[in-house]
């Protein structure tokens, strides 16, 4: 007789390990204090890795004004991922739900650019931001959540500063992840988006080396999941938010984004269920 081993569903396995609890909603999980211990260690490791010596991230609300997301042209490019806050228009429970002026933040860095909109920057500006994000994902495998937390380091400055900063963060991340016992593959990536006429298009990010992802396995059967991405936006957001550089022309920006739950899950996969066995760094 052939012996077959059935691998437990990775979410159930993590629930058994005391890390998280399913909520019943696809892509929505609750996290235990044990999991949050890892999240806190990870946040501290990221703060320590940031060369600007920040005291830690500024936490942004999980909702952002729709006007800011429209200004970034996110609504045009990624309408399928955006979640919107609606409210009852009266005390009548059967009343229509009408859209409010806010949407769920699809990424944390969209809370940063409005802060410096309509200004002229001299030297580079650095930001350290964190917050809850929402994406209306089509699938809900482990690691592809609808609600998740992101930490982002951001630079707004001239073209060469933004480019060099992004490349320095890639090197810094490789060192940091290796200290944490992770060996991600760094791979060029792109964000498929809706182009003119509502066609789904591949962006030219790969050809231009604009986006790199750090990809690792989150569980035994995982072919690879991005735990972080390093992104150059060129002058796109500078133009959209009317941020100019003192040397002339729109400012450039880059962001280094960490998916916090995904990174914690990668650490759990690498180091096991007993926190006593983990490297002290986390
Ligand atoms: P993917 O290719 O997996 O869809 P992405 O390119 O959409 O990722 P980014 O937009 O670069 O991801 O977001 C920055 C980081 O946020 C990702 O590297 C990942 O770690 C995390 N992230 C993105 N989407 C999700 C999600 N649905 N659930 C959990 N974490 C996510
Ligand atoms: Zn970003
Ligand atoms: Mg995605």
């Amino acid at each position: 007789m052939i012996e077959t081993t059935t691998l437990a569903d990775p979410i159930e396995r993590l629930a058994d390990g005391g890390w998280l609890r399913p909520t019943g909603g696809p892509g929505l999980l609750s996290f235990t204090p044990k999991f949050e211990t890892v999240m806190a260690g990870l946040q501290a490791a990221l703060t320590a890795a940031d060369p600007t010596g920040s005291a830690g991230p500024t936490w942004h609300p999980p909702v952002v004004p729709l006007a800011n997301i429209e200004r970034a042209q996110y609504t045009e490019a990624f309408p399928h991922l955006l979640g919107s806050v609606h409210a009852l228009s009266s005390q009548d429970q059967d009343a229509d739900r009408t859209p409010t002026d806010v949407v769920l933040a699809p990424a944390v860095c969209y809370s940063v650019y409005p802060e410096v909109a309509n200004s002229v920057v001299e030297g580079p500006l650095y930001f350290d931001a964190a917050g809850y994000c929402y994406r209306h994902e089509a699938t809900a495998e482990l690691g592809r959540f609808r609600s998740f937390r992101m930490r982002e380091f951001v630079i707004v400055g001239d073209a060469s500063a933004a480019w060099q900063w992004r490349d320095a963060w890639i090197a810094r991340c490789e060192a940091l992840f290796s200290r944490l016992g992770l060996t991600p593959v760094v791979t060029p990536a792109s964000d498929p988006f809706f182009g003119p006429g509502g066609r789904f298009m591949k962006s030219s990010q790969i050809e231009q080396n604009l986006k790199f992802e750090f990809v690792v396995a989150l569980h035994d059967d995982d072919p690879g999941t991005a735990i972080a991405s390093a992104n150059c936006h060129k002058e796109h957001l500078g133009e959209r938010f009317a941020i100019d550089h003192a040397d002339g022309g729109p400012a450039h920006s880059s962001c280094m984004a960490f998916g916090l739950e995904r990174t914690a899950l990668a650490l759990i996969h690498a180091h096991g269920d007993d926190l006593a066995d983990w490297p002290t760094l986390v």
Side-chain angles (χ1 to χ4, degrees):
M1 202 175 88
I2 299 167
E3 194 120 344
T4 52
T5 46
T6 38
L7 285 166
D9 171 74
I11 294 179
E12 270 172 39
R13 214 208 54 72
L14 286 157
D16 287 347
W19 298 108
L20 50 79
R21 284 201 287 277
T23 62
L28 303 173
L29 294 172
S30 302
F31 296 98
T32 63
K34 185 179 174 186
F35 188 92
E36 292 305 318
T37 305
V38 177
M39 292 289 263
L42 173 60
Q43 289 279 39
L46 292 172
T47 301
D50 173 19
T52 68
S54 94
T58 296
W59 278 86
H60 295 276
V63 295
V64 289
L66 172 61
N68 290 345
I69 292 299
E70 283 179 333
R71 196 169 182 185
Q73 283 182 317
Y74 190 93
T75 30
E76 280 163 48
F78 308 106
H80 57 301
L81 292 174
L82 193 64
S84 175
V85 176
H86 288 229
L88 286 177
S89 47
S90 76
Q91 281 171 305
D92 174 7
Q93 286 184 42
D94 297 325
D96 286 343
R97 288 198 174 86
T98 51
T100 66
D101 59 336
V102 291
V103 293
L104 302 173
V108 168
C109 66
Y110 296 116
S111 291
V112 167
Y113 314 111
E115 277 183 38
V116 285
N118 313 311
S119 73
V120 179
V121 300
E122 303 268 344
L125 302 175
Y126 302 102
F127 301 88
D128 179 356
Y132 273 88
C133 298
Y134 178 92
R135 293 187 188 179
H136 199 70
E137 302 280 7
T139 58
E141 66 274 18
L142 179 69
R144 189 160 300 282
F145 305 135
R146 283 187 291 166
S147 177
F148 59 96
R149 282 164 277 180
M150 207 186 278
R151 172 94 175 256
E152 289 200 61
F153 298 99
V154 181
I155 184 176
V156 177
D158 68 21
S160 75
W163 199 269
Q164 283 168 28
W165 177 94
R166 196 279 307 258
D167 287 347
W169 257 112
I170 292 177
R172 208 172 284 133
C173 269
E174 288 182 298
L176 171 68
F177 286 138
S178 136
R179 286 201 299 280
L180 298 179
L182 299 176
T183 45
V185 176
V186 185
T187 157
S190 72
D191 301 305
F193 72 106
F194 277 101
R199 276 186 309 132
F200 210 45
M201 292 178 34
K202 229 186 93 194
S203 77
S204 60
Q205 283 165 301
I206 293 195
E207 295 78 83
Q208 297 187 68
N209 283 327
L210 296 183
K211 180 177 177 109
F212 287 91
E213 286 184 337
F214 292 76
V215 176
V216 294
L218 304 187
H219 59 90
D220 285 339
D221 289 339
D222 182 10
T225 302
I227 56 172
S229 72
N231 308 281
C232 286
H233 315 122
K234 303 211 292 187
E235 67 277 68
H236 172 62
L237 294 163
E239 261 169 11
R240 298 297 305 172
F241 287 93
I243 312 165
D244 283 333
H245 194 268
D247 295 347
H252 286 234
S253 63
S254 300
C255 70
M256 178 71 231
F258 296 86
L260 294 175
E261 289 89 351
R262 283 189 185 179
T263 309
L265 290 170
L267 290 166
I268 293 167
H269 182 55
H271 302 307
D273 277 347
D274 190 351
L275 280 172
D277 299 338
W278 284 41
T280 45
L281 251 160
V282 262

